């Protein structure tokens, strides 16, 4: 985590050195309000290492992509979401729901969740 924090601080310093950061108050305000004020929600420096989405196989990537695309990013009138709206949905809805399903799936298989039949060896 220390290395991620160091990388985050270095990247942040590079951002602050950019002309667009220094010369555009709107960019600074937007990034500060939407992203930089809450790095624990998106930066690896604050991400726990105990949970990973299944992104290591093509099937897992495609399954997650399909759920994201058709369940979370789908709009009633077919309009496309902005990048900011898509990130907001991914961070605030999609990932929390995936974590909830991950933990529910794991706990539902444990003996603490339900009583097994007496003939099932533990």
């Amino acid at each position: 985590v220390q290395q991620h924090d160091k990388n985050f601080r270095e990247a942040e310093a590079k951002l602050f050195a950019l002309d667009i950061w220094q010369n555009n108050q709107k960019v600074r305000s937007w990034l500060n309000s939407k992203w930089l004020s809450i790095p624990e929600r998106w930066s690896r420096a604050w991400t726990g290492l105990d949970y990973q989405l299944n992104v290591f196989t093509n099937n897992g990537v495609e399954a997650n992509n399909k759920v994201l695309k058709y369940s979370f990013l789908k709009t009633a009138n077919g309009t496309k979401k902005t990048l900011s709206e898509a990130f907001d949905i991914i961070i605030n809805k999609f990932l929390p729901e995936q974590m909830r399903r991950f933990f529910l799936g794991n706990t539902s298989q444990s003996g603490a969740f339900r009583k097994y039949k007496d003939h099932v060896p533990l």
Side-chain angles (χ1 to χ4, degrees), residues 1 7 15 20 26 38-39 44 46-47 50-51 56-57 63 67 69 83 90 98 100 106-108 117 121:
V1 173
N7 292 345
L15 170 67
I20 193 165
K26 287 183 179 181
I38 48 168
R44 275 186 120 172
W46 286 272
T47 302
D50 57 338
Y51 175 74
F56 301 110
T57 67
V67 169
K69 187 187 261 185
L83 184 59
I90 290 168
Q98 293 301 309
R100 186 190 70 76
N106 282 311
T107 57
S108 68
K117 303 273 185 195

Side-chain angles (χ1 to χ4, degrees), residues 100-119:
R100 186 190 70 76
R101 292 177 67 202
F102 172 81
F103 289 117
L104 181 63
N106 282 311
T107 57
S108 68
Q109 301 303 317
S110 76
F113 187 78
R114 63 178 174 207
K115 178 153 175 39
Y116 288 103
K117 303 273 185 195
D118 291 333
H119 67 277

